[in-house]
Amino acid sequence: MDALPWYEDLSPGRGTLPPRAWYAGSDATVLSLNGSWGFRLSPTADAEDDSFAAPDFDAGGWSAIAVPGHWVLQGKEAEYGGPAYTNVQYPFPVDPPRVPTENPTGDHLRRFDLPDGWPADGGAVLRLDGVESCARVWLNGTELGEFKGSRLAHEFAVGHLLKARDNVLALRVHQWSSGSYLEDQDQWWLPGVFRDVTLLHRPAGAPGDFFTHASYDHTTGAGTLRVECDVPGRVTVPELGLDLAVGEPATVPVEPWSAEAPRLYEGVLTAGGERIPLRIGFRTVAVEDGVMKVNGRRILFRGVNRHEFHPERGRSLDLATMREDVELMKRHNINAVRTSHYPPHPAFLDLCDTYGLWVIDEGDLETHGFEDLAWRGNPVDDERWTPALLDRAARLVERDKNHPSVIVWSLGNECGTGAGLTAMARWIRDRDPSRLVHYEGDRSCADTDLYSRMYPPHAEVDEIGHRADEGPEARQQLPFILCEYAHAMGNGPGGLSEYQRLFETHERCQGGFVWEWIDHGLVHPVHGHGYGGDFGEEVHDGNFVCDGLLFPDRTPSPGLVEYKKVIEPVRITPGPANSVRVANGHDVVDLAHLAFTWSFLADGETLAAGPLDVPPLAAGASARVTLPTAPAHPAGAETMWTVRALLARDTAWAPAGHEVAWGQVPASAPAPAPRKATGARPVRSTDGRITLGPAVFDARTGEPLALGPLAVTGPRLDVWRAPTDNDEGAPWQPDERHGPLWRELGLHRMRHRIDEVALDEDSLTVRTRVAPAARDVGLRTTYRWTSDGTALRLAVEVVPEGDWRVPLPRLGVRLGLPAALDRAVWYGAGPGEAYPDTRAAARLGRWESVVDALRTPYLRPQENGARIDTRWLELTSASEGVRVEGEPAFAFTARRWTTEQLDAAAHDTDLVAGDTLWLHLDHAQHGIGSQSCGPGVLPEHRLDAAPAAFALTFTPVAR
């Protein structure tokens, strides 16, 4: 066979300079080559014609494309192809290192002049920060070389080729290459030049590379600084009074860097006519007694996995978007990021240094598609690929080594095992022993400093926390993290609070990283946001790419609001005798940066509020804090204290007054006064109707037709919900997946048989059996209606029949009301949606919303929008409405389409409002869990079929 073309050979490339540290802001001249480039797309990679790289080539007939950018996200009506999403499977035949002949190839051209004043001395470097999947590069007709490694920086020496005017930079980019086998990350395949292209002047004698070592001794409070550099130079840090030769160490008292207190010292490296700014953070990372510590303190990751994503630009992010991500993370109590599954844009790490985030910096490596082939041909276990793996390790470490936020290097993700990973780990440890090494895919932990897992169930985390797990003895001595957990796909994730309790109980369990930060929904002309399969892909993995805590437009999902509450670094819990206990859960800082307030609520209304004096507790400390005397309040009211921890002053990421944590403490329970709503007599009319208080019923079915002036459909017993992504589960899950089982049982098509409609002196009783076709299970259901003439009370009793082997999705009633009811006011938990295992962020109060804002627009429509612990609800229009009270409290959901319509929809745009408002009043719902990739619903949150009784009182409201 002939020699393979360069894009299929195993080499990482040729002609590139050695990798080096990234930095911004030096006084050397810089020219950005971002902007509009000439572009031509070919369907294959086998063209021999390189004439486009010639300086005199006429590209007048070419199109224009934005760089940075992906060509499949530009052009009109998919003229440059389209994006493709796969999770594990490769979207091309697996025949490493070969790729298909159908290999879309984008030729890029950029003409540029050097700016006036471009220095005549020294050299110049062309830097490309990200190109998928490979590139061949020419400048002024001279080939510079080629490279692979899409999310890695590559540089070429070009000073000898530059002209003052009319330089021509040419790139040939192939969508597929041998490198694609190493880049099977769970994301969109998006070819193109998606990060910056920059021309850098290099003054004569300027540094090629430097390495800032800044350790901290927590026993003395001293930091030791030493800057390695490949040329002579000096390092100055004015704030510390330091003026050192490169390579010379100095030890001085310093304030350490941490994610909670990101103290940076500004310095300058001067060498060879260039002044390079240094941003120095002193910190030491170590494993001591099986616990990961930074600056002598155990840290707890409250983290997220972060793919780079923008709904219009794919992985091409600008600084403002990166800053928005970091500020959103900090405002939601997130303290750590795993850069899944590649190094991020380098500017993102600058932001992590500045704002304070622990970072696990991950290599651009994943070969997950080989798992389906029993790992046959896996590159990480084939020595021919080792040079490419080592090149990726070096480009990860060398670029990012000077960031104090980076405390762990991760070899890559889901690559199985092999000697190539061992070689990478050895190289990284030799180059940078000051950080830990991470890799999840090898349970032996032979090459890692951390025991890392994805999606272990809670019980196993507890076992690992006790160091009682089976496995290599050496592994039991390692700290434990969950590099992925709590799959945030659709409605959820559930079970976060239970995980967090384990992290805070077991010293070994040092937190984890929720999968993931943002839904990867790309803008779509029909669906609003599209997912896998919406762009004509031959092979795809559907909406599995939409599994983030943010919606694509970076609006926080209910899952992110829940996560913020679960991981809040201050715990406010009930204390004895009119007090609260305040515990500082920070790793490092005291509470001096927070101000505390109290408010007193009666039946959800705030009666009084004020500041609360809380001592500046040290990290890990707690104290009992006395509350003020309760203000006067109505007799029999349900009363509650709410205590909040707020930022006392402005920070870089939020203004003073931003809420960091909160807690509610009951002051008194409501006086038991259930509304019986009895006394009115049902009256049967000759037209086949029954009147009872404010309601009119169908005498044959016993179902209400009207409540006062409001037309009513139902209510009927309801057990179905549009399955969530977590209900549906994933095919590889070992546990039962409830969504498919519910559908198999027929819970989505329940039939209602009327057995009896009976009148007595003060009630209307309807006895029914609710059951699915073709099955011998059912729910004996009795509805008993009573009224006091003004209100209508419904008492429901449910008794299961048969062998129910699966839990119920929900248990309650559904009714239809006029669509004109467009405003909701309720007293209960809110303001957002909540379910049995996603309820930490729901606080008791009186809330209001327009009805259309009660829904959560998940990218794949599913059950959403429930408000739990509702004592009463009022739905009104401008002229009329209804009040609902529950015994006990209930959950309600109000939306303008049926559950069946919600279940049938593939995109939010499929949902069209009808002329009925469908109201669900639930006695209980099944939990959410995380089974779209993680564990299912915990036993305490299951809704097993069992006898149940609940009551609802309906009262017409006149406006």
Side-chain angles (χ1 to χ4, degrees):
M1 187 177 70
D2 294 336
L4 295 176
W6 73 269
Y7 54 85
E8 288 187 327
D9 69 32
L10 298 182
S11 166
R14 61 179 179 84
T16 57
L17 294 170
R20 65 184 180 116
W22 183 89
Y23 55 89
S26 103
D27 60 356
T29 305
V30 176
L31 175 64
S32 171
L33 298 179
N34 296 345
S36 180
W37 288 51
F39 181 73
R40 176 182 67 183
L41 183 65
S42 302
T44 66
D46 55 5
E48 297 296 331
D49 180 14
D50 299 336
S51 62
F52 80 100
D56 59 353
F57 180 79
D58 181 5
W62 285 23
S63 302
I65 197 171
V67 171
H70 305 279
W71 72 65
V72 294
L73 299 183
Q74 303 188 57
K76 297 178 180 178
E77 297 181 354
E79 65 178 302
Y80 302 140
Y85 166 63
T86 63
N87 171 27
V88 175
Q89 54 192 340
Y90 288 102
F92 48 79
V94 180
D95 183 24
R98 307 300 305 277
V99 295
T101 299
E102 297 83 11
N103 189 358
T105 296
D107 292 334
H108 299 65
L109 279 179
R110 176 75 154 87
R111 292 183 177 271
F112 65 94
D113 298 332
L114 293 180
D116 294 340
W118 184 272
D121 65 325
V125 166
L126 173 68
R127 182 180 182 92
L128 298 104
D129 279 298
V131 181
E132 183 176 332
S133 71
C134 63
R136 190 177 174 195
V137 188
W138 296 261
L139 179 63
N140 293 329
T142 298
E143 184 174 354
L144 303 179
E146 71 259 345
F147 61 85
K148 308 179 188 80
S150 298
R151 268 67 69 177
L152 303 168
H154 296 85
E155 292 182 329
F156 298 91
V158 297
H160 60 295
L161 298 174
L162 288 172
K163 304 182 296 182
R165 297 287 182 268
D166 201 26
N167 293 280
V168 179
L169 176 60
L171 303 179
R172 172 161 284 172
V173 179
H174 302 302
Q175 177 159 10
W176 310 121
S177 69
S178 60
S180 301
Y181 285 99
L182 304 179
E183 297 172 5
D184 188 29
Q185 294 100 338
D186 176 10
Q187 60 180 345
W188 294 98
W189 298 88
L190 297 170
V193 184
F194 66 94
R195 286 185 185 161
D196 305 293
V197 182
T198 314
L199 187 67
L200 308 167
H201 176 250
R202 305 305 300 135
D209 194 19
F210 65 95
F211 195 165
T212 301
H213 302 273
S215 61
Y216 179 73
D217 185 341
H218 66 278
T219 63
T220 65
T224 299
L225 175 66
R226 179 174 61 87
V227 178
E228 295 178 5
C229 189
D230 58 356
V231 298
R234 297 201 69 79
V235 175
T236 56
V237 187
E239 189 176 356
L240 297 176
L242 296 178
D243 186 345
L244 309 168
V246 297
E248 178 184 352
T251 300
V252 292
V254 297
E255 298 173 36
W257 187 97
S258 71
E260 294 171 2
R263 181 66 160 94
L264 292 171
Y265 292 88
E266 303 293 333
V268 177
L269 167 62
T270 304
E274 184 178 20
R275 289 171 52 85
I276 299 172
L278 304 178
R279 304 170 76 242
I280 304 163
F282 292 88
R283 52 107 187 96
T284 295
V285 185
V287 174
E288 298 177 2
D289 301 322
V291 176
M292 180 182 181
K293 296 182 179 180
V294 179
N295 303 328
R297 290 180 175 267
R298 173 189 184 260
I299 64 171
L300 183 62
F301 290 128
R302 300 170 169 92
V304 291
N305 286 276
R306 174 186 177 268
H307 268 299
E308 293 185 304
F309 181 76
H310 188 279
E312 296 174 337
R313 301 191 300 272
R315 280 189 292 283
S316 184
L317 299 189
D318 58 5
L319 183 62
T321 300
M322 291 184 269
R323 188 182 303 276
E324 182 180 3
D325 278 348
V326 170
E327 292 180 355
L328 277 168
M329 289 176 189
K330 294 291 288 188
R331 289 199 291 269
H332 288 86
N333 294 330
I334 290 164
N335 73 354
V337 176
R338 176 181 174 227
T339 68
S340 52
H341 298 294
Y342 42 82
H345 190 293
F348 178 77
L349 297 178
D350 271 352
L351 294 169
C352 294
D353 295 340
T354 300
Y355 285 83
L357 288 167
W358 307 117
V359 175
I360 295 181
D361 198 0
E362 193 148 271
D364 188 12
L365 176 61
E366 180 168 339
T367 65
H368 201 176
F370 286 91
E371 183 177 28
D372 289 345
L373 308 175
W375 297 107
R376 292 187 306 275
N378 185 12
V380 306
D381 201 25
D382 183 338
E383 63 182 10
R384 296 175 302 163
W385 292 82
T386 299
L389 302 181
L390 290 173
D391 179 75
R392 289 172 184 250
R395 292 185 184 279
L396 163 72
V397 172
E398 301 295 6
R399 193 198 74 168
D400 296 344
K401 59 183 177 283
N402 294 326
H403 291 281
S405 58
V406 177
I407 59 173
V408 178
W409 300 117
S410 180
L411 303 180
N413 184 68
E414 293 177 320
C415 296
T417 59
L421 294 169
T422 299
M424 294 173 71
R426 288 174 177 169
W427 186 93
I428 291 174
R429 283 199 176 94
D430 183 63
R431 178 60 173 142
D432 180 26
S434 71
R435 293 176 171 95
L436 306 184
V437 174
H438 168 271
Y439 177 66
E440 182 271 342
D442 183 1
R443 295 285 181 88
S444 76
C445 296
D447 299 318
T448 68
D449 301 307
L450 301 165
Y451 179 25
S452 177
R453 290 283 301 282
M454 295 181 181
Y455 309 105
H458 299 76
E460 186 177 359
V461 173
D462 189 36
E463 183 180 66
I464 292 170
H466 284 101
R467 299 188 188 272
D469 54 308
E470 296 181 357
E473 183 177 350
R475 191 184 75 187
Q476 293 185 353
Q477 305 309 310
L478 297 179
F480 177 68
I481 65 168
L482 278 66
C483 67
E484 292 181 21
Y485 83 115
H487 199 245
M489 186 176 180
N491 187 334
L496 285 170
S497 295
E498 291 81 2
Y499 272 121
Q500 192 66 22
R501 282 197 288 271
L502 293 169
F503 301 156
E504 295 176 5
T505 298
H506 298 299
E507 186 180 45
R508 184 190 188 189
C509 297
Q510 296 194 243
F513 298 80
V514 167
W515 186 269
E516 66 163 305
W517 177 236
I518 187 169
D519 281 346
H520 299 199
L522 288 168
V523 168
H524 190 279
V526 176
H527 303 309
H529 290 103
Y531 46 75
D534 289 335
F535 297 91
E537 303 103 301
E538 178 183 43
V539 175
H540 66 84
D541 285 303
N543 70 311
F544 204 72
V545 76
C546 298
D547 46 15
L549 294 168
L550 295 180
F551 293 118
D553 63 359
R554 284 180 160 73
T555 299
S557 74
L560 181 56
V561 177
E562 175 80 356
Y563 193 41
K564 175 187 177 180
K565 173 61 178 171
V566 167
I567 61 175
E568 61 187 7
V570 179
R571 297 291 185 212
I572 301 165
T573 54
N578 200 49
S579 69
V580 293
R581 181 157 294 278
V582 178
N584 182 2
H586 288 92
D587 299 325
V588 176
V589 300
D590 63 22
L591 298 186
H593 65 295
L594 298 177
F596 289 78
T597 66
W598 62 266
S599 57
F600 185 84
L601 285 73
D603 288 339
E605 294 282 4
T606 300
L607 300 186
L612 185 66
D613 186 17
V614 176
L617 299 167
S622 64
R624 175 179 173 269
V625 178
T626 301
L627 293 165
T629 301
H633 54 273
E638 180 179 19
T639 57
M640 177 86 59
W641 297 96
T642 299
V643 175
R644 305 167 68 214
L646 314 174
L647 288 180
R649 52 189 176 274
D650 292 347
T651 69
W653 45 271
H658 166 79
E659 184 179 87
V660 173
W662 61 272
Q664 287 192 311
V665 178
S668 65
R675 187 169 187 174
K676 296 301 183 185
T678 58
R681 299 173 60 88
V683 178
R684 186 189 298 268
S685 63
T686 58
D687 60 357
R689 298 192 174 195
I690 297 171
T691 300
L692 178 59
V696 177
F697 294 80
D698 184 311
R700 182 181 60 85
T701 64
E703 290 190 352
L705 302 173
L707 177 66
L710 300 177
V712 177
T713 302
R716 280 185 169 189
L717 188 76
D718 187 24
V719 299
W720 179 242
R721 72 184 186 196
T724 68
D725 290 312
N726 288 305
D727 290 336
E728 298 286 17
W732 59 83
Q733 293 289 357
D735 300 326
E736 61 182 18
R737 295 183 289 137
H738 292 133
L741 290 174
W742 291 337
R743 213 178 292 275
E744 179 183 343
L745 185 59
L747 299 189
H748 60 307
R749 47 176 175 77
M750 300 291 275
R751 296 291 180 260
H752 299 252
R753 187 184 74 207
I754 301 169
D755 290 337
E756 183 183 15
V757 177
L759 294 179
D760 59 24
E761 185 174 336
D762 65 351
S763 68
L764 166 63
T765 302
V766 182
R767 294 180 175 86
T768 70
R769 187 175 189 271
V770 182
R775 304 293 175 181
D776 61 354
V777 296
L779 300 168
R780 285 283 181 184
T781 307
T782 301
Y783 309 96
R784 185 172 185 269
W785 298 92
T786 57
S787 176
D788 61 2
T790 301
L792 182 70
R793 184 175 187 270
L794 168 63
V796 182
E797 293 185 359
V798 181
V799 178
E801 294 181 336
D803 185 10
W804 285 85
R805 298 186 178 183
V806 297
L808 298 173
R810 69 181 344 134
L811 182 66
V813 297
R814 176 173 75 170
L815 65 153
L817 296 167
L821 303 181
D822 59 0
R823 181 172 179 268
V825 180
W826 73 98
Y827 171 38
E833 77 174 26
Y835 291 82
D837 54 350
T838 65
R839 57 175 298 140
R843 70 183 84 183
L844 192 66
R846 190 173 296 195
W847 310 101
E848 61 180 281
S849 172
V850 296
V851 165
D852 290 340
L854 292 172
R855 60 185 291 256
T856 303
Y858 294 112
L859 265 67
R860 186 192 71 79
Q862 56 197 271
E863 167 62 33
N864 71 88
R867 268 61 177 184
I868 63 171
D869 292 344
T870 303
R871 278 69 163 161
W872 58 257
L873 161 70
E874 288 187 356
L875 291 171
T876 58
S877 66
S879 59
E880 58 194 11
V882 62
R883 178 184 176 98
V884 185
E885 299 169 72
E887 305 168 38
F890 57 93
F892 80 89
T893 307
R895 45 184 170 241
R896 302 193 180 279
W897 34 78
T898 66
T899 299
E900 291 74 20
Q901 291 168 325
L902 185 64
D903 187 16
H907 298 85
D908 194 62
T909 50
D910 297 334
L911 295 168
V912 179
D915 58 2
T916 301
L917 177 65
W918 294 100
L919 177 63
H920 297 260
L921 303 168
D922 291 322
H923 175 61
Q925 277 227 26
H926 186 61
I928 296 297
S930 187
Q931 204 175 2
S932 53
C933 194
V937 175
L938 288 166
E940 57 267 37
H941 302 305
R942 286 173 57 103
L943 178 56
D944 289 313
F950 57 94
L952 300 161
T953 300
F954 302 86
T955 307
V957 175
R959 297 295 299 271

